């Protein structure tokens, strides 16, 4: 599965903010930490704000804060916001998809899709954050300070 | 046992008291099998079933969780986590190093619960196919 950049940025940003809901981070705080485009991330954060997952904090040191429900929001919910279709991408288009071979291949690909969707729906932001302590730490990056 | 059967009926909408009587005899009375309940104010509000199994599907000994249920009116109070901790503590003490379960793909509630406990996709994949009735040669 390959997610679009916007979806990847949304997942990283919303998880980074949900890690400490009381903390406020600027676009560049998050962009610098993950080495991603600040311009692109700014647009993604506005979309996340419209969905109620983050809220903009105004002021000279303005930024964003997590405002969603980390236990009730799944990875799939975030992916779905950005129109990244995990399910159905694998369909074999017509006319090949209307043949017996196309249908048989489509069934296999649909099986893969269903497992991916079930997995993404079952992992909440809170569970993903909890899993950080279950896995070996990657090489540390510069911490965000504010 | 009536309380466990009632919790299951409230969750699944399929009352099956005889199944629960058999499950109690099978899991609560033998070594390596677990039938634990969680009480709140002296009333049973949750249950978990499991057992230790060895070499099925080529797997070294491991723990299996077959069922878990928490009274819907007592959810989000940590009872499910306490049941999970209780059964895995017993399995660990018995030498198990892995615990497994199997879920319907659309069982989002339980899948999210087990994920929140640290479980993830394992090294086995479940396969199945419908079996045609005898005399039907379509398969």
């Amino acid at each position: 599965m390959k997610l679009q950049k916007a979806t990847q940025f949304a997942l990283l940003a919303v998880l980074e903010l949900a890690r400490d809901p009381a903390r406020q981070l600027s676009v560049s705080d998050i962009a610098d930490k993950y080495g991603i485009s600040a311009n692109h991330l700014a647009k993604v954060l506005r979309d996340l704000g419209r969905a109620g997952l983050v809220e903009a904090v105004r002021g000279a040191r303005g930024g964003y804060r997590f405002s969603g429900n980390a236990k009730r929001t799944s990875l799939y919910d975030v992916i779905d916001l950005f129109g990244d279709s995990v399910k159905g991408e694998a369909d074999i288009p017509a006319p090949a998809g209307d043949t017996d071979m196309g249908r048989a291949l489509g069934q296999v690909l649909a099986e893969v899709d269903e497992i991916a969707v079930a997995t993404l729906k079952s992992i909440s932001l809170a569970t993903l954050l909890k899993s950080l302590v279950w896995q070996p730490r990657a090489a540390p990056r510069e911490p965000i300070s504010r | 046992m009536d309380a466990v059967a009632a919790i299951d009926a409230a969750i699944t909408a399929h009352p099956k008291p005889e199944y629960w009587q058999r499950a109690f005899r099978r899991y609560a009375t033998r070594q390596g099998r677990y039938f634990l309940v969680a009480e709140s104010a002296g009333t049973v509000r949750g249950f978990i079933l499991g057992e230790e199994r060895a070499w099925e599907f080529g797997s070294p000994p491991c723990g299996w969780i077959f069922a878990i249920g928490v009274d819907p009116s007592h959810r989000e109070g940590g009872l499910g986590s306490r049941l999970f901790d209780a059964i895995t503590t017993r399995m660990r003490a018995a030498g198990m190093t892995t615990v497994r379960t199997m879920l319907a793909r659309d069982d989002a509630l339980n899948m999210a619960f087990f994920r929140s406990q640290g479980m993830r996709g394992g090294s086995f994949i479940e396969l199945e196919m419908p079996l045609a009735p005898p005399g039907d040669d379509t398969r």
Side-chain angles (χ1 to χ4, degrees):
Chain A
M1 178 192 353
K2 183 158 172 59
L3 298 175
Q4 295 173 42
K5 271 190 179 172
T7 314
Q8 293 175 35
F9 294 179
L11 286 166
L12 289 169
V14 80
L15 285 161
E16 184 59 43
L17 291 164
R19 191 198 283 261
D20 179 359
R23 188 180 51 164
Q24 167 191 330
L25 295 173
S26 70
V27 173
S28 58
D29 286 333
I30 301 170
D32 289 350
K33 174 163 186 177
Y34 293 102
I36 58 184
S37 156
N39 282 339
H40 197 165
L41 179 62
K43 183 182 175 311
V44 165
L45 280 163
R46 284 197 293 276
D47 291 341
L48 289 171
R50 275 192 287 276
L53 289 175
V54 302
E55 64 182 1
V57 182
R58 309 218 178 272
R61 292 284 291 159
Y64 286 91
R65 195 183 288 145
F66 182 69
S67 58
N69 183 331
K71 282 189 175 176
R72 298 259 180 230
T73 308
S74 70
L75 299 182
Y76 185 87
D77 293 332
V78 178
I79 291 169
D80 199 38
L81 274 180
F82 288 83
D84 231 341
S85 173
V86 178
K87 194 174 182 181
E89 292 267 306
D91 283 351
I92 308 285
D98 295 334
T99 65
D100 56 352
M101 196 66 77
R103 279 193 293 274
L105 275 173
Q107 280 175 5
V108 174
L109 298 175
E111 185 181 322
V112 175
D113 282 349
E114 282 174 25
I115 293 170
V117 169
T119 301
L120 292 166
K121 282 185 172 172
S122 73
I123 302 175
S124 67
L125 301 182
T127 293
L128 195 289
L129 290 169
K130 214 158 112 179
S131 78
L132 297 180
V133 299
W134 298 329
Q135 52 191 293
R137 284 177 188 279
R141 294 180 69 100
E142 283 298 304
I144 291 175
S145 57
R146 183 118 213 151
Chain B
M1 193 43 46
D2 291 347
V4 169
I7 293 169
D8 173 66
I11 296 169
T12 65
H14 294 292
K16 34 190 172 307
E18 289 166 9
Y19 165 79
W20 286 108
Q21 290 298 342
R22 283 198 306 275
F24 181 77
R25 285 195 295 274
R26 186 172 173 203
Y27 289 100
T29 59
R30 297 188 201 172
Q31 182 98 17
R33 294 181 175 180
Y34 306 98
F35 194 135
L36 310 179
V37 298
E39 288 184 342
S40 176
T43 304
V44 173
R45 298 297 185 188
F47 61 86
I48 193 165
L49 272 77
E51 70 176 333
E52 297 155 17
R53 298 175 85 154
W55 307 117
E56 284 166 318
F57 316 110
S59 164
C62 70
W64 273 89
I65 293 174
F66 295 118
I68 184 168
V70 172
D71 183 336
S73 66
H74 282 68
R75 288 205 178 133
E76 308 223 359
L79 279 184
S81 295
R82 283 170 52 201
L83 285 162
F84 185 87
D85 287 346
I87 200 168
T88 53
T89 297
R90 284 161 175 76
M91 289 172 174
R92 202 177 292 120
M96 305 295 111
T97 57
T98 304
V99 59
R100 296 196 169 98
T101 191
M102 188 158 61
L103 299 157
R105 204 175 285 170
D106 60 358
D107 185 356
L109 180 70
N110 281 312
M111 204 176 311
F113 168 76
F114 284 118
R115 288 265 182 193
S116 76
Q117 302 303 309
M119 297 185 89
R120 58 181 64 188
S123 50
F124 290 81
I125 289 179
E126 180 256 359
L127 299 176
E128 64 183 32
M129 64 179 248
L131 289 176
D136 182 339
D137 294 328
T138 53
R139 264 188 191 267

